[in-house]
Amino acid sequence: METMLSLLVGAMVAVSVFLMLSRDLIRFIFALLLATNAINLLILTAGRIGHLPPPLIAADQTLPAVSLANALPQALILTAVVIGFALFSFVFILFYRTYATLGTVDSEAMRVAEPLASEPDADRTQPEILP
């Protein structure tokens, strides 16, 4: 099971790097989401997945009889999911603002569409926000 998940993480990272190298901003956002999910799956895989009974300790023992999965990676993943959602929201707002200002999602066209500093009203342009 862990081998299959490791291969899945590798494939997800490869696809996310491929998408990040494209010039389209929407593909970059999807690649960012895929990369965060791949890292979460990597942390989960590193925490050893097992189908064991609950960690009950007998009354005469101080340690469990069998080795158990560590709960720390699961707590880290829960925190990473919340941070990933906040990052996605922030990137999506930046994407919307960029598209509203420049009118394109292609990174090469964004360089051409940037207002020049020599233009007198380059600082004052506000995008039109739809209701």
Side-chain angles (χ1 to χ4, degrees), residues 8-20 34 38:
L8 181 64
V9 167
M12 288 172 69
V13 168
V15 169
S16 66
V17 167
F18 175 75
L19 288 174
M20 281 185 188
L34 189 62

Side-chain angles (χ1 to χ4, degrees), residues 96 99-100 127-131:
Y96 177 73
Y99 180 72
E128 204 174 306
I129 304 219
L130 302 174

